[in-house]
Amino acid sequence: MAVAAVALAAAAVATPVATSASAQPDSARKHLVDVQLLSFNDFHGNLEAPSGSSGRLITGHHIDPATGKPVDDTVNVGGVEYLASHLAEARKGHDRSLTVAAGDLIGASPLLSAAFHDEPSIEALNKLGLDVTAVGNHEFDEGYKELQRIDAGGCIDDGDGKDNQNSCAAHEYQGADFDILASNVIEDASGKTILPAYSIKELDGVKIGFIGMTLEATPDIVTAEGVKGLTFKDEVETANALVPVLKKKGVKAIVTLIHEGANLPKEKWTDPATGKVYEVNARYDYTCEGGGELVAGSPIVPIAQNLHPEIDMVVTGHTHNPYVCDVPDPDGKSRLITSASSFGRLYTETNLKYDLKSRDIVRSSVKGSNLLVTRDIAKAPEQTTLINTYKELVKPIASRVLGSITTDVKRDQSPAGESALGDLIADAQLADQSTVVDGQVPVIAFMNPGGIRADLTAANSPYGEAVGDVTYDEAFTVQPFNNYLVSLTMTGQDIYDLLTQQVAGANASSHKILQVSKGFTYQISPSGPVDGSVMLNGQPIDKAASYRVVTNNFLQGGGDAFAAFTKGTDPYYGGLDIDAFSAYLEANSPYTPGPLDRITGTH
């Protein structure tokens, strides 16, 4: 479990290795030793190999002969049984190796982990040898007191489980064996960080300090209750202030683990048959060295540019993108920045030289690459045992069939931003009666696209149900947050403002198109909704009139930079979103997705 930052000595002893083909004299080379850092991020409790698009990564491209357009080549990857095996294999031959992560290891998890308050995921990460991680925004989904319990261990007195959750179902939960860092998260009552700010690791003469933090904007993307009583500080100011603290402890090699990330542009790909150049999605091994670049407006870029020059490397996350790039420090010196996608589908291997004499990392030696967690190797048996234990415990909940679908219902968005799965969820929320109060029935539902975590597939699952049947497990994987539905009254102008915020302000660089319920239609443009196009059941929305809407409590609190929701009046809290989703599937089975015609235009 995370404790006050202390030096931990490794048992392995290595012979110093000189740099190969180096022009340095022997007297300089003998002070250099090899160090390996293995890193990943955004695991999100994916113990079992994720399915559908969540379990694939892009390896290349080819031309579809039917359409003449490029399509992605993909490979199935991920699953903690395979991640643990790949990490164990990668460590072979490396006497000095550390495994680190950049947050969101828990939260927004599949039912197998979420049903037990993510205790199984922490146990799995203990077993695979994680040494230290930063917190991410999803570590706050159940509040910081619960995060502190996750770190320290202990059980929640929840009996047989509330909201299909049960603590200590298999045994007493012992907590995390790795350090969980939260350097920029301050408890208002005490003025102290809720968890340690940094950790120092020692490996046979090598001493490396790790500073861990989440994005300052965490309160904007977590429910208000989850971050109540906390202040999230500026990332650069926090990290830079800790550099002299670490130096006083004799630490000159410093790595920042930060739960913030970059967006990737489309790649250029040349069809080998015709020589024609296309714009395609980025591969898993996206690197700036290979000609790529990070989107200039990405949140991590100004952070990385301004982190103290004595910070040697930056491990990032949050955006679920794969990249290994260079963002120069304030002195113009190259500094590696990495991210390993999400869900345990990738890990980053970084190899570097550490100078035992100067006690620092040789910056020019730092080389990283992203590696696939393929499923063609033996599973880690200890992980299989853990998974089987919890699968048996969760089976009564997970295997219940809710209904059926006639075809896959996917998250893939139209050019306007609408998805079939988004339509289904919004309709389910509108149909839910738990948010009706005093005869006020919601007429529009809004769903955030980031809350839709997986496709709903017609293929049968491990529980043996018929093809097309949807189990509670599958439904929960789509909507794993246990958010509450909230009805509120908004003016027509509020709704216009809301639709504008999808493509403006904090969402200008990465648009977030809300999913909407049946009967609500509009035309989107790069600057927002086209005036006069916003309709409810064929009638224009009156900007001066009031409308009862329903959404989840995350959005109602202004999450994802949708401040227009906070102007809503008379909020009324109903049931859980997963319950509304489950009930709708049961009442509308078999379900067939309709046309994507609620949102038109392009953005």
Side-chain angles (χ1 to χ4, degrees):
M1 65 192 70
V3 292
V6 293
L8 302 179
V13 178
T15 302
V17 180
T19 52
S20 59
S22 173
Q24 293 176 305
D26 290 343
S27 58
R29 293 202 310 267
K30 71 180 182 180
H31 295 295
L32 300 180
V33 294
D34 291 316
V35 177
Q36 178 194 60
L37 289 182
L38 302 174
S39 58
F40 59 93
N41 51 275
D42 296 271
F43 179 65
H44 288 292
N46 276 265
L47 299 173
E48 293 186 286
S51 61
S53 60
S54 296
R56 295 193 292 266
L57 284 174
I58 298 171
T59 58
H61 312 278
H62 70 275
I63 297 295
D64 182 349
T67 64
K69 296 181 179 180
V71 294
D72 299 331
D73 299 320
T74 62
V75 62
N76 292 326
V77 284
V80 76
E81 296 161 295
Y82 300 108
L83 176 60
S85 290
H86 276 282
L87 293 176
E89 187 66 26
R91 294 182 188 113
K92 290 181 179 178
H94 295 272
D95 296 307
R96 296 177 175 89
S97 180
L98 290 168
T99 301
V100 303
D104 273 9
L105 302 186
I106 59 174
S109 306
L111 185 65
L112 182 61
S113 182
F116 308 103
H117 299 278
D118 276 321
E119 293 165 6
S121 287
I122 300 299
E123 292 173 359
L125 295 169
N126 288 343
K127 292 178 183 297
L128 65 71
L130 183 61
D131 293 296
V132 57
T133 184
V135 293
N137 55 284
H138 280 292
E139 271 81 10
F140 294 91
D141 283 349
E142 296 188 35
Y144 78 97
K145 292 294 186 181
E146 167 63 0
L147 173 57
Q148 290 173 327
R149 183 193 73 87
I150 284 291
D151 169 49
C155 303
I156 299 174
D157 184 15
D158 57 359
D160 290 331
K162 179 185 178 184
D163 299 331
N164 293 319
Q165 289 182 298
N166 195 3
S167 174
C168 296
H171 44 248
E172 184 169 347
Y173 172 64
Q174 298 298 312
D177 293 340
F178 48 90
D179 298 336
I180 304 177
L181 307 180
S183 63
N184 67 330
V185 187
I186 307 300
E187 183 184 48
D188 295 337
S190 67
K192 298 178 180 179
T193 58
I194 62 167
L195 290 168
Y198 63 88
S199 176
I200 300 170
K201 301 294 183 183
E202 288 192 33
L203 300 169
D204 187 30
V206 170
K207 185 183 288 188
I208 301 177
F210 292 92
I211 299 169
M213 67 186 83
T214 187
L215 66 161
E216 183 185 10
T218 290
D220 296 333
I221 52 177
V222 174
T223 59
E225 193 64 28
V227 294
K228 186 177 181 180
L230 300 177
T231 295
F232 291 77
K233 298 176 63 179
D234 179 84
E235 303 95 335
V236 173
E237 292 177 3
T238 300
N240 289 353
L242 287 170
V243 170
V245 175
L246 288 167
K247 289 182 69 176
K248 285 182 179 180
K249 293 181 176 293
V251 178
K252 297 176 68 177
I254 304 172
V255 174
T256 294
L257 312 174
I258 178 170
H259 191 71
E260 181 61 284
N263 298 314
L264 302 182
K266 293 283 189 178
E267 284 191 284
K268 300 292 186 182
W269 175 74
T270 303
D271 177 11
T274 65
K276 188 174 181 180
V277 179
Y278 296 89
E279 285 193 338
V280 295
N281 297 318
R283 289 163 46 109
Y284 78 91
D285 53 355
Y286 188 91
T287 63
C288 292
E289 190 176 70
E293 60 183 11
L294 304 178
V295 172
S298 298
I300 193 62
V301 173
I303 295 172
Q305 289 171 333
N306 289 286
L307 287 173
H308 198 291
E310 294 195 44
I311 293 173
D312 297 293
M313 179 180 167
V314 185
V315 178
T316 75
H318 189 53
T319 56
H320 293 202
N321 287 319
Y323 50 83
V324 175
C325 282
D326 169 61
V327 176
D329 68 20
D331 289 344
K333 192 176 179 182
S334 292
R335 181 160 59 192
L336 192 71
I337 176 173
T338 70
S339 175
S341 191
S342 60
F343 308 151
R345 295 176 291 175
L346 279 185
Y347 69 95
T348 308
E349 179 178 11
T350 302
N351 292 293
L352 57 89
K353 300 289 183 183
Y354 180 93
D355 191 323
L356 294 171
K357 189 172 183 179
S358 68
R359 296 177 299 166
D360 205 353
I361 290 170
V362 179
R363 188 80 68 83
S364 61
S365 73
V366 181
K367 303 293 181 184
S369 58
N370 278 336
L371 301 169
L372 292 167
V373 178
T374 58
R375 302 175 189 172
D376 57 356
I377 64 172
K379 299 177 181 180
E382 68 279 6
Q383 300 289 353
T384 302
T385 299
L386 181 145
I387 288 172
N388 289 341
T389 296
Y390 285 102
K391 281 181 73 172
E392 191 63 29
L393 289 167
V394 81
K395 187 181 293 184
I397 299 170
S399 61
R400 181 166 66 91
V401 174
L402 303 175
S404 65
I405 53 178
T406 59
T407 187
D408 292 350
V409 188
K410 295 187 175 183
R411 301 177 287 170
D412 298 344
Q413 294 185 352
S414 70
E418 181 182 355
S419 74
L421 189 50
D423 287 355
L424 169 57
I425 292 172
D427 288 348
Q429 294 182 354
L430 187 65
D432 185 68
Q433 295 298 299
S434 70
T435 60
V436 177
V437 59
D438 296 333
Q440 299 181 82
V441 179
V443 293
I444 309 168
F446 295 101
M447 174 63 193
N448 53 309
I452 307 172
R453 307 301 289 194
D455 296 334
L456 202 58
T457 59
N460 45 340
S461 82
Y463 300 106
E465 76 280 3
V467 173
D469 281 354
V470 178
T471 62
Y472 183 83
D473 186 15
E474 292 171 295
F476 189 90
T477 300
V478 171
Q479 282 202 280
F481 294 105
N482 272 340
N483 283 327
Y484 286 93
L485 295 183
V486 188
S487 61
L488 60 155
T489 300
M490 300 178 71
T491 67
Q493 184 61 59
D494 291 338
I495 292 172
Y496 267 89
D497 293 344
L498 177 71
L499 299 178
T500 301
Q501 289 165 3
Q502 298 175 119
V503 296
N507 294 327
S509 62
S510 182
H511 297 170
K512 293 185 176 71
I513 306 301
L514 296 167
Q515 304 302 291
V516 299
S517 53
K518 187 176 182 179
F520 183 78
T521 59
Y522 71 97
Q523 183 180 348
I524 189 71
S525 76
S527 59
V530 174
D531 198 35
S533 73
V534 184
M535 304 272 187
L536 179 61
N537 299 322
Q539 298 298 312
I541 289 287
D542 182 347
K543 294 180 181 180
S546 294
Y547 300 86
R548 195 70 178 171
V549 306
V550 61
T551 189
N552 58 55
N553 61 305
F554 165 68
L555 285 176
Q556 184 255 341
D560 274 347
F562 287 108
F565 277 121
T566 65
K567 296 182 179 180
T569 58
D570 299 323
Y572 181 78
Y573 285 74
L576 294 171
D577 55 2
I578 181 60
D579 291 341
F581 188 40
S582 299
Y584 193 81
L585 285 168
E586 289 180 301
N588 293 271
S589 178
Y591 178 84
T592 300
L596 301 180
D597 57 5
R598 302 177 187 184
I599 310 173
T600 57
T602 58
H603 58 94

